[in-house]
Amino acid sequence: MLSCTTKSLSFVRNLSIHEYQSKGLLKSFGVDTMIGEPAATPAEAERKAKEVLANGSGKLVVKSQIHAGGRGVGVFKSGFKGGVKLAESAKEAGELASKMLNEVLVTKQTGPDGRLVRTVYLEDAAPVKREMYLAILMDRGFGGPVIVASTEGGVDIETVAHTNPNAILKFPVDINAGMSTEQAMDIARGLKFEEKSVPQAADQIQKLYNVFIETDATQVEINPFAETTEGKAICLDAKFNFDDNAEYRQADIFEMRDPLEEDPFELEAMKHDLNWVTLDGNVGCVVNGAGLAMATLDYMTLAGGKPANFLDLGGGVNQKTAQEALRLVSKNPNTKLMFINIFGGIVSTAMVARALLEAIKVVKIDVPLVIRLDGTDCIEARKILKESGLKYTEATSFEDGINKCVAMAKNL
């Protein structure tokens, strides 16, 4: 998992899966959810809806499947409102699916470009008494998992945290001891379940925690975590994130990856063992080491610049990695200026300079270039670049590089 936060930047990178996949995963761990089926065409949606209606409550919900929240209040670019709709017949479900499938849904989390809906999920409508919020995540401050719960669910939890912070409950869990029945029951009581319903709710909370631990999840968010009219706890929606570093032992889960929902630049970077995150600025960044890469984003943002990406070459740099990094940054249409920021600790910057020059022979760079090479063999490295005939702007320090990038970007 990769994370970075600045005054104006915040991003997290890890595997996400669709809701219908999350529901299947929950069921495999004994977590209670409503029955449901995915569909990719209106005809399939109508057929699957008949199956759900025959085995369910008589009503169902048609849900757009994209990797973003706020679907229910989202708006399609076609003008159709709402990516989550109630249907009372299979025919109506098919009609709703026809308005969602192959249409772009815009929510507060997708940005103005929105996401194309390729799948809908037909789910039995639960007899809901009330909606709550429950999430499990890793928290550095607590040094392990934390349960975040609230009686105010089915809404934007960030808004709840801002308007009514006392409604947010936090329960740290000892990762070595695990979640006890007593702690799970305390959480259930904190969510205001009646005493007769506490054991079943606690059982569901413990099973959710088991899912979190055993799948190497970084986040399990259930919003809403609901109570039915019968007093039973049930998961009505589910959002999962998984630690990318756990792919080797979670192969089945990582096979659920939907590349069409992910940034193509990030997928391409992964093929070459590069770490990439697309941002919304115009200065493309090529940096060695995650720490320096994040510091570059922070410093540039504080100086008034706008980085176009996070890119970590890793501790060592060779012609192949340099070539692929330059190719990625150059392909990004937002890149109007490129900043190569290399500090040689163990690696020789002279070797890096030669690798960069060889890479530039292969990758056509059509934007202004600012290069900072500092650290081991930097004097030789700067000489190599100066004598190469390469057109670039030299930065003699980290600060100098940032200032030159910010000044140049203003005129682009």
Side-chain angles (χ1 to χ4, degrees):
M1 182 184 72
L2 174 94
S3 63
C4 170
T5 301
T6 71
K7 186 175 181 180
S8 61
L9 292 174
S10 178
F11 55 83
V12 176
R13 196 195 80 179
N14 42 37
L15 172 70
S16 295
I17 60 177
H18 287 294
E19 177 193 357
Y20 74 90
Q21 296 168 319
S22 299
K23 293 289 182 63
L25 191 58
L26 290 176
K27 289 175 183 176
S28 71
F29 280 83
V31 177
D32 291 335
T33 67
M34 304 302 290
I35 61 172
E37 294 286 344
T41 67
E44 184 183 17
E46 185 171 345
R47 186 174 68 253
K48 294 289 185 67
K50 289 178 181 178
E51 297 175 12
V52 173
L53 288 169
N55 296 289
S57 64
K59 292 183 180 181
L60 56 80
V61 184
V62 184
K63 298 182 174 183
S64 300
Q65 298 295 284
I66 59 172
H67 288 179
R71 295 169 296 164
V73 294
V75 179
F76 287 89
K77 288 196 172 182
S78 65
F80 184 64
K81 296 182 179 180
V84 178
K85 292 286 189 178
L86 186 67
E88 296 189 3
S89 69
K91 181 180 179 181
E92 185 182 3
E95 291 172 349
L96 288 169
S98 70
K99 296 177 181 179
M100 298 178 183
L101 289 167
N102 300 313
E103 297 288 349
V104 176
L105 178 60
V106 179
T107 78
K108 63 182 179 180
Q109 291 188 8
T110 65
D113 291 338
R115 294 280 181 87
L116 182 67
V117 177
R118 298 178 177 87
T119 306
V120 293
Y121 186 48
L122 295 308
E123 186 177 51
D124 186 27
V128 176
K129 178 181 177 181
R130 63 190 182 102
E131 296 181 344
M132 297 155 285
Y133 176 90
L134 184 73
I136 309 171
L137 49 87
M138 285 293 184
D139 189 291
R140 289 183 182 274
F142 288 110
V146 173
I147 312 298
V148 180
S150 177
T151 55
E152 298 186 23
V155 295
D156 179 15
I157 197 64
E158 286 81 8
T159 300
V160 175
H162 178 71
T163 59
N164 187 14
N166 292 331
I168 307 294
L169 307 175
K170 294 183 180 181
F171 301 85
V173 181
D174 184 333
I175 195 169
N176 295 311
M179 179 182 289
S180 66
T181 300
E182 290 74 15
Q183 186 173 32
M185 292 178 76
D186 285 342
I187 297 169
R189 291 186 179 104
L191 289 172
K192 308 300 182 184
F193 279 94
E194 292 183 14
E195 197 60 31
K196 65 180 180 180
S197 298
V198 165
Q200 186 270 342
D203 176 67
Q204 291 297 294
I205 293 168
Q206 280 188 298
K207 286 176 178 176
L208 284 168
Y209 180 79
N210 292 339
V211 177
F212 176 81
I213 293 297
E214 294 186 30
T215 63
D216 290 297
T218 55
Q219 174 182 273
V220 174
E221 183 181 49
I222 309 299
N223 189 20
F225 182 63
E227 181 181 7
T228 69
T229 52
E230 297 177 348
K232 180 181 177 183
I234 192 166
C235 298
L236 294 188
D237 199 356
K239 179 181 178 181
F240 278 78
N241 293 136
F242 302 92
D243 189 342
D244 279 349
N245 296 313
E247 182 174 1
Y248 73 97
R249 64 185 182 197
Q250 301 291 350
D252 290 345
I253 290 174
F254 277 77
E255 285 180 2
M256 298 181 191
R257 184 188 295 272
D258 183 352
L260 296 175
E261 282 287 323
E262 298 193 30
D263 184 343
F265 284 95
E266 185 173 331
L267 292 174
E268 184 66 23
M270 289 172 62
K271 294 178 183 177
H272 304 288
D273 294 323
L274 298 171
N275 295 313
W276 170 285
V277 177
T278 299
L279 301 173
D280 59 2
N282 61 359
V283 181
C285 300
V286 179
V287 190
N288 69 319
L292 181 58
M294 289 189 282
T296 300
L297 303 189
D298 287 340
Y299 201 169
M300 186 174 297
T301 302
L302 290 171
K306 294 183 177 181
N309 64 275
F310 170 100
L311 192 150
D312 169 22
L313 286 169
V317 184
N318 55 45
Q319 181 186 340
K320 182 179 179 182
T321 57
Q323 182 174 312
E324 295 305 330
L326 295 176
R327 192 191 310 278
L328 275 169
V329 175
S330 299
K331 284 171 60 178
N332 185 355
N334 292 331
T335 299
K336 307 303 179 186
L337 168 70
M338 191 181 302
F339 181 33
I340 299 176
N341 185 16
I342 305 294
F343 181 82
I346 298 175
V347 67
S348 166
T349 55
M351 182 192 74
V352 173
R354 296 187 184 96
L356 286 172
L357 291 173
E358 290 301 314
I360 290 170
K361 290 178 182 178
V362 179
V363 180
K364 185 179 180 181
I365 298 176
D366 295 323
V367 297
L369 194 59
V370 177
I371 302 178
R372 176 238 179 176
L373 295 176
D374 212 345
T376 305
D377 298 332
C378 64
I379 294 176
E380 181 186 355
R382 292 169 186 170
K383 182 180 178 183
I384 291 171
L385 288 183
K386 286 179 181 178
E387 295 177 352
S388 69
L390 177 68
K391 186 178 180 180
Y392 72 102
T393 298
E394 181 184 34
T396 56
S397 67
F398 190 0
E399 181 179 15
D400 184 44
I402 292 293
N403 289 336
K404 285 177 176 175
C405 285
V406 173
M408 292 169 66
K410 290 180 179 178
N411 299 316
L412 297 176

